[in-house]
Amino acid sequence: MKITLLWAVPLGILAVVAAEWALLANPGGRLVGLVLLAVLLGFIGVFALAPVTLAVGAVGERWGTAAAVLLVGTCLSVAVLAIIGSIERAKPGYAWKYGEPVDAAVPHDWTCTLSGYKCAGSWRSQGKTVHGSVTMSRAEHRALRSPLAVAADGAHHLKARALNRRAATAGLHLKPASSVALGKVPEWTGWTAGAIGLGATLFAIVLPHRTPRTTPEAR
């Protein structure tokens, strides 16, 4: 482990610098920055958890320290990416980038969340009426109070883009960052990575490590 730390520490520092540069100095490189950050956090987790868990120790004893660091670090990194992906999917920018143009209708007796500007609404998609949440700008939210903005069908209509059951309006003037692509990382990949890491650790701990038997002559 000490030998591994000799090359892991400087590489970790370089990864931090690269991630910070990509995130702050170059907004278009946010995707690369978050991927580097996920890898960095994954392998930092290996060294942070090693003293208090059997994960790296057990796998390392069976397959070697390098294999243990690579396996556990990769699993943690994928899990971090899956978490970041779930956060990106929840942002209005994800629905705006990958959604389809719709005419979102918010009923006159609208119901909105207490925090943020998200209201219950509906729109047409592929010939069907979809009910979901509509995230709008502050100005659009204020306009809902005006009876003059109500259409003949008794609803407020907003131009939006919708994906599944979430819509984001044009009034938000969204310019999604490159990191929104991480929203396409499915949630199951994080669970799968965790299962692989845990399974390998349990395998290394529970099943005995076979050592070659020595013959009486060798003794």
Side-chain angles (χ1 to χ4, degrees):
M1 183 65 73
K2 291 182 179 180
I3 298 176
T4 306
L5 284 172
L6 292 177
W7 56 262
V9 171
L11 285 180
I13 294 174
L14 289 176
V16 169
V17 174
E20 291 300 322
W21 176 84
L23 287 171
L24 302 177
N26 183 16
R30 183 175 172 83
L31 173 61
V32 177
L34 285 178
V35 171
L36 287 175
L37 191 61
V39 173
L40 177 65
L41 291 175
F43 282 89
I44 284 179
V46 172
F47 299 105
L49 296 175
V52 294
T53 66
L54 297 175
V56 177
V59 179
E61 184 179 352
R62 177 175 288 270
W63 294 299
T65 302
V69 171
L70 181 62
L71 175 63
V72 180
T74 301
C75 290
L76 288 176
S77 298
V78 173
V80 172
L81 278 177
I83 293 173
I84 295 176
S86 65
I87 295 173
E88 292 292 339
R89 281 194 300 274
K91 294 180 178 179
Y94 185 77
W96 181 261
K97 183 175 179 65
Y98 298 108
E100 59 176 328
V102 297
D103 178 39
V106 178
H108 180 58
D109 53 344
W110 40 273
T111 302
C112 301
T113 57
L114 296 177
S115 60
Y117 304 108
K118 185 183 296 183
C119 303
S122 62
W123 53 89
R124 299 284 294 178
S125 177
Q126 299 179 355
K128 298 180 180 179
T129 300
V130 179
H131 296 274
S133 62
V134 182
T135 304
M136 62 192 71
S137 66
R138 184 177 182 180
E140 290 171 324
H141 187 266
R142 286 182 174 178
L144 296 179
R145 300 186 178 93
S146 174
L148 300 177
V150 180
D153 59 355
H156 301 267
H157 290 265
L158 302 168
K159 292 182 179 180
R161 295 181 70 89
L163 181 66
N164 298 328
R165 295 186 179 275
R166 295 188 297 113
T169 65
L172 290 170
H173 303 293
L174 294 170
K175 294 181 180 179
S178 59
S179 59
V180 75
L182 291 176
K184 289 187 171 294
V185 178
E187 186 177 352
W188 61 265
T189 57
W191 293 104
T192 302
I196 292 175
L198 181 61
T201 303
L202 291 177
F203 177 82
I205 294 174
V206 175
L207 295 183
H209 181 61
R210 295 182 178 181
T211 55
R213 295 180 179 179
T214 56
T215 59
E217 292 79 2
R219 296 178 184 177

